[in-house]
Structures are given as structure tokens and as C-alpha cells.
Amino acid sequence: MSVTLQRLDSTNFANYREGLSVLLLDAINDGASIGFLADPDEREAAEYFAQVHAAMTDGSLLLWVAHEQSRVLGSVQLSLCQKPNGLNRAEIQKLLVLSDARRRGIARLLMQTVEQEAVTRKRGLLYLDTEAGSDAERLYRHLGYQCIGGLPDYACGPDGTYRANAIYYKTLARPSP
């Protein structure tokens, strides 16, 4: 079977909401520090995705899913800066791959897709943060992202332990004056 990437919009988002919730809960249960503490429930996931849907509807957030038939295997978000002086940048958020679907190149495909869309939208500067020392750091470095540092005790993981983050960026194109 092959993995299909699809950008969601407000009309097809509902078709993937359940799979996205499964993906989110899988990541948290696997220890990902993505804004939630241990043992989140479906209500918390539903509230989170209501916020995601609202941001998609107002155009400030783009969301892609990687799926195999109807099973969501991964996702990534691109938050588009809305400030007039920052229209050249966007933040990559919540790159997630199901724990049993990792090491298949899904994260790389999602990132390449995000980068292509960013160029199309004239967003030449991408940035993100991730947990320092995580497997994700290797992926980002391999894709050409530069680490500019991080903050100690930046956020709690699901286990309640504060962890440092690492901040990365990649310049895709310089803005026109």
C-alpha cells in the first residue's frame, strides 16, 4: 500500500478528525512534548482540534495528513504569520507520525510537502521547535534546518518533567524588498 498526502480544508477536515485524534493521543502516550500532559482524553483532543479547525477556517493554519486508505499515519501543520511585517515566515507545528508507522519516510514526505507549499505562498523562512535531544532533531538537521539554540525547562512532557527545547530554522527564499 502507498501513503497518500493530502492538505485538509474546512470541508474535508471532519473526515479525518477521528484519525487525527488517534494520532495525537498516540504521540502523547509515546512521550511527545506537544502541549499536553499525561492521560489526555478524547474531550481534550476534540477541544484541541476545534481550535485547529478554526485556524484552518480563518486561513492562518494549513494542515496535511498522510494516510493509507482511511488510516491517518501522520500529520503536520504550517502556521502562517499574519503580521504585515512577517508575511515571509511560517512556523512548522505538530509533525506527528503514528508510532507503528515510523521509519517509513512519512515525516520526510510531510516536511517536503510543507516546504513546497511555503515557497508557493512566498514564505521563505520556516522555523520550529522540538524537544532537545529527540529523534526529530536528526530529521530536521538532515533536511537542512539550522539549530539556533534552545531554552532550558521550556515545557513539560506528558510525564510532568520539564525539558529543554531546540529551535530550528530553514531559509527557503529571501523576501523581495
Side-chain angles (χ1 to χ4, degrees):
M1 298 198 196
S2 64
V3 174
T4 302
L5 297 184
Q6 181 175 358
R7 192 177 112 211
L8 302 187
D9 59 31
S10 58
T11 61
N12 61 8
F13 178 77
N15 299 334
Y16 295 93
R17 186 186 296 259
E18 184 178 332
L20 286 164
S21 291
V22 168
L23 176 64
L24 180 72
L25 296 173
D26 175 74
I28 296 163
N29 291 330
D30 197 44
S33 178
I34 53 174
F36 296 86
L37 296 177
D39 301 322
D41 57 28
E42 291 181 25
R43 178 191 55 78
E44 288 176 279
E47 287 173 5
Y48 170 72
F49 282 112
Q51 294 170 0
V52 168
H53 187 255
M56 289 171 60
T57 301
D58 74 20
S60 64
L61 186 77
L62 306 177
L63 171 67
W64 287 263
V65 294
H67 58 90
E68 209 164 46
Q69 295 181 330
S70 62
R71 184 177 184 227
V72 173
L73 302 178
S75 71
V76 67
Q77 300 171 24
L78 187 65
S79 178
L80 303 170
C81 182
Q82 300 298 300
K83 297 174 184 172
N85 69 342
L87 297 177
N88 66 311
R89 69 178 183 260
E91 181 181 7
I92 296 171
Q93 300 175 342
K94 305 275 190 296
L95 174 64
L96 306 173
V97 176
L98 278 175
S99 55
D100 67 358
R102 293 184 185 147
R103 305 281 181 222
R104 293 178 50 189
I106 295 169
R108 177 184 314 277
L109 286 172
L110 286 164
M111 289 295 291
Q112 290 168 341
T113 300
V114 164
E115 289 179 8
Q116 290 169 1
E117 183 69 21
V119 168
T120 299
R121 291 176 179 263
K122 296 184 171 56
R123 304 295 175 131
L125 176 65
L126 297 181
Y127 64 98
L128 60 92
D129 80 283
T130 191
E131 184 179 336
S134 68
D135 289 341
E137 280 199 273
R138 284 191 291 281
L139 170 69
Y140 298 132
R141 284 192 302 266
H142 186 74
L143 293 173
Y145 286 77
Q146 301 294 312
C147 183
I148 58 171
L151 302 167
D153 300 329
Y154 181 74
C156 277
D159 63 0
T161 304
Y162 279 93
R163 305 171 184 179
N165 78 340
I167 303 166
Y168 284 83
Y169 79 95
K170 183 174 185 178
T171 302
L172 303 174
R174 296 274 182 215
S176 306

